[in-house]
Amino acid sequence: MKNSFVELHARELALSLLDAGTSRELVGPLDNMISPHLEPQGIVPESDDGIVLMKGKIEDKNVLIVSIEGKFQGGGIGEVSGAKIVAALEKALEDNQNGKTIYPILVLDTGGVRLQEANYGLLSISEIQNVVIALKKYVPVIGLIPGRVGSFGGMSITASILSYLITTNKARIGLNGPEVIEQEAGVREFDSSDKNLIWNTLGTKQRLATGLVDEVVDDTVDDIKEAVINEINAKKDAHRTENVDFYLSLLDQLDLNKKLDISSYDKLYQQVKTTKHEVADAVVGSEAGTKSRGRLWFEKLTGIKNAKSSVPTVLHAPKDGKEYIAIVPDAKNAFPRVRNGEVGLQEGFAVASVVNKIVAEDKNQTTKRPIILVVDVPSQAYGYQEELIGIHVALGSSAAAYAKARQAGHPVIAFIPGDAVAGGFLAHGLQSNRLIALDDTSITIQAMSKASAARITQRTIAELEEATKHVPAMAYDIDNYEKLGALYKLVKGIGSWDATDENVAKIKQIIDDAIQSTVNKPANLHFRYETPIAKESGRKATLQVRQLVTEQW
C-alpha cells in the first residue's frame, strides 16, 4: 500500500505522476476560490473546491493534470470546480493550437454533478465535454479512474468521450449510481445492497471486456505512470462515441424479453459485427404516438402530424433549411425505462447517427444547416440493462455529435418547451449555441429528481426544497434557471402546451434570431458567460476563476 495510487489525495495524485521538480499548481488553495453556493446551505467549502490543476512534465513532455478530490462532496462538479477544469483545458487547447504541445490528463474520482449546486454542475460538465472534443483534434485526452468513488453521472459521459481510459480494478463506471437506480426504478430493477451485482455490472473487469475502458492496471503509482507514458507516446483514441453503428447493431441483437445475463452479454459484445445503420426521418403516422410537449412542438414546427420514425423515440425532419430533432415518449417501447421520454441507449446512439450524417453531408458546404433541438426530456433512463451496456456511452455519443456539429459551423439551437433534466439534458440540449425556453411553471430543469437528490445528499425533501430558496442553482423551475445567465431567451406568455399557429410563428422567429446571433461568432459555449445576467451575477464566480487561470497559466 505504500505505493498505492488509489489511496492518494487529489494533489498527491497529480504530484505522483509528474517528474520531480516540474510541478506548478494553478488556482490553488491560497487563491481561496471557494464555492459561493455551499455556505448558504450549511456546508463547509474547500479552498480549492476539490479540484487540483497542475502543470508539469512527464518524461520531458508538457502535461496538464486535472485531479478531482473524491473525498470532497463526492468529487462533485459545481460552478467553481467546473470553471477551473474548463478554463485550464481551454488554455491547453490554445497552446496546442499555437503549436505548443501539452497533454491533458483527467483523474476522475467523481460522482458527477454536485447536487448542492446542480444546474451549475450540468452547465460546467457540458462545457468540459465541449473543450475535450476540441482538444482531441490535436492530442489524446487521457482519463485515469482510480476508484475510491469511480466515475458516475455526467462525468461518466465525459469519460466516454475521452481518448483513452486507464483504471484500476477498484474503480466503477456508470451513469447512474446503484442507489439512484433503486430510488427511481425500484429494488427489483437494481438492488443497491447487492455488491456482486454492482461490481459485475459497473466494475472495470466487465467494462474492459466490453470496451468501455481501455486498460486496467495494478494499483501502484509506477504502473499508472507507465500506462500514461505509453499512451502519450502511442496517441491512441478509442473512438467510443463515434462507434454508433456498432452499438445500434448490438442493440438490434439483444433479446429484451428476458433479463440480460452478464456473461452472455459479454460474449455477444465480442461477436457483433458493425453494420451501417440509417435512422429514418420522421414521417406522417397513421395514429398519434404518446403525446408530450416535445412531440407537440416538433410536429407543429415541422408540420408533420402524428410523426413516427424507425426509432420511435427519436424524431428527425428537415424543414425550411433546418434540421429538427426531438426525443419523445413511446408507451410500448421495448426498453421500458424510456417509455416516458427518457434518454436511453437507442436514443443516444440514434441521435448521434442523425447528427453525424448531417455533419458529413455538409462537410464541404460553406453554409451549414442549423440543427434545432426540441427538448422535453424528464431524465436519462434508469435501468440495469442500460448500465450494463453503457448508457453513459450512448449519451456521450449524442453530446459529442452535437459538439462536433457546432464546432464544424452548424448553429445548434435548443428550444425547451418541456423538462430538461440530468443526463438527458446533457445528451440533448446543453451542447447548443443558444438555449431558448418557455416561461412555464410546469417546466423542470435540474440534475436529479427531488427524491433521489434528497437521498444522495442525505436530506429530507423538505430540507432540499428549503435549500433551493437560497441557491438558485438548486431550484427546479425555469425562472431560477434564468438567474444563471445561460439562456438566450426566456419566452413569456406562451405555455408549454400552447402551440397555436401564432405561437409557433413567434417561436420560429426567435429561433431564426438565435441562429443569426451565431453568425461570425466563435463556435464555442462562451455565450453563456457573456449575457448580462451571467456577468452581473449568474456566472460571476466562473468569470473570476477564468481570469485567475489565464493570469497564472
Side-chain angles (χ1 to χ4, degrees), residues 119 122-123 126 129 157 327 343 373 375-380 395 398-399 402 414-416 418-432 435-437 444-447 478 481 486-487 528:
N119 282 320
L122 284 176
L123 286 168
S126 69
Q129 293 164 359
I157 300 175
I327 295 173
V343 182
L373 290 60
V375 179
D376 182 16
V377 288
S379 70
Q380 67 266 28
L395 273 56
S398 177
Y402 283 130
F415 167 56
I416 308 170
D419 294 333
V421 179
F425 195 22
L426 284 170
H428 183 65
L430 276 173
Q431 286 300 328
S432 303
L435 301 173
I436 301 165
T444 296
I445 298 188
Q446 237 276 349
I478 191 66
Y481 191 79
L487 294 179
R528 301 172 182 179

Side-chain angles (χ1 to χ4, degrees), residues 122-379:
L122 284 176
L123 286 168
S124 295
I125 288 173
S126 69
E127 292 154 13
I128 293 168
Q129 293 164 359
N130 170 65
V131 70
V132 166
I133 293 295
L135 270 162
K136 287 172 65 177
K137 299 172 186 175
Y138 301 92
V139 289
V141 184
I142 303 166
L144 301 178
I145 306 178
R148 285 173 308 198
V149 177
S151 183
F152 284 92
M155 290 305 284
S156 73
I157 300 175
T158 304
S160 75
I161 295 172
L162 302 180
S163 306
Y164 196 79
L165 277 179
I166 302 164
T167 74
T168 74
N169 60 9
K170 299 178 182 180
R172 300 173 302 162
I173 305 165
L175 181 60
N176 303 298
E179 289 186 341
V180 177
I181 302 173
E182 182 180 273
Q183 179 69 44
E184 297 291 335
V187 69
R188 291 185 179 181
E189 181 69 25
F190 207 105
D191 181 355
S192 66
S193 68
D194 188 338
K195 304 305 179 186
N196 288 331
L197 172 65
I198 292 170
W199 284 102
N200 286 336
T201 308
L202 308 175
T204 50
K205 180 179 179 181
Q206 194 276 339
R207 295 317 200 191
L208 183 64
T210 52
L212 302 189
V213 304
D214 302 297
E215 190 173 354
V216 178
V217 301
D218 290 338
D219 174 27
T220 75
V221 170
D222 293 339
D223 286 317
I224 292 283
K225 188 168 182 177
E226 181 182 359
V228 170
I229 292 168
N230 290 339
E231 168 53 15
I232 288 175
N233 292 330
K235 298 181 181 179
K236 292 177 285 188
D237 194 329
H239 297 295
R240 256 177 291 275
T241 53
E242 283 78 48
N243 206 8
V244 296
D245 285 332
F246 167 80
Y247 286 108
L248 288 169
S249 299
L250 181 64
L251 296 179
D252 287 344
Q253 298 192 36
L254 294 177
D255 183 358
L256 297 174
N257 293 316
K258 54 187 178 183
K259 190 169 183 177
L260 290 177
D261 174 77
I262 291 170
S263 59
S264 63
Y265 172 69
D266 289 357
K267 185 177 180 181
L268 177 62
Y269 178 93
Q270 302 299 334
Q271 292 175 343
V272 167
K273 293 182 179 179
T274 304
T275 58
K276 184 62 179 174
H277 275 257
E278 295 289 344
V279 180
D281 290 354
V283 297
V284 176
S286 57
E287 60 182 43
T290 304
K291 280 299 179 185
S292 69
R293 292 169 290 185
R295 172 178 281 278
L296 170 67
W297 281 94
F298 175 87
E299 292 179 351
K300 290 290 187 176
L301 289 166
T302 62
I304 300 174
K305 295 182 178 180
N306 304 329
K308 67 175 186 178
S309 69
S310 57
V311 178
T313 50
V314 176
L315 302 178
H316 164 240
K319 179 71 173 180
D320 300 328
K322 307 177 185 71
E323 302 289 332
Y324 287 87
I325 302 173
I327 295 173
V328 298
D330 175 28
K332 299 179 181 179
N333 200 277
F335 289 91
R337 299 300 167 194
V338 302
R339 290 175 179 170
N340 295 313
E342 299 89 347
V343 182
L345 296 164
Q346 275 192 317
E347 292 70 36
F349 293 129
V351 165
S353 179
V354 168
V355 176
N356 289 339
K357 182 180 178 182
I358 294 169
V359 173
E361 289 174 348
D362 282 10
K363 183 177 181 180
N364 297 319
Q365 300 298 318
T366 303
T367 302
K368 314 289 187 179
R369 285 171 286 175
I371 301 173
I372 314 302
L373 290 60
V374 181
V375 179
D376 182 16
V377 288
S379 70

Side-chain angles (χ1 to χ4, degrees), residues 297 301 415 438 491 494 503-511:
W297 281 94
L301 289 166
F415 167 56
L438 298 180
V491 184
I494 299 179
N503 288 341
V504 170
K506 182 176 180 180
I507 294 301
K508 285 185 174 181
Q509 183 59 56
I510 293 170
I511 290 172

Side-chain angles (χ1 to χ4, degrees), residues 3-4 19 29 132 189 218 360 363 371 489 530 544:
N3 200 28
S4 169
D19 297 342
V132 166
E189 181 69 25
D218 290 338
K363 183 177 181 180
I371 301 173
K489 190 171 185 64
E530 297 166 354
Q544 290 174 336

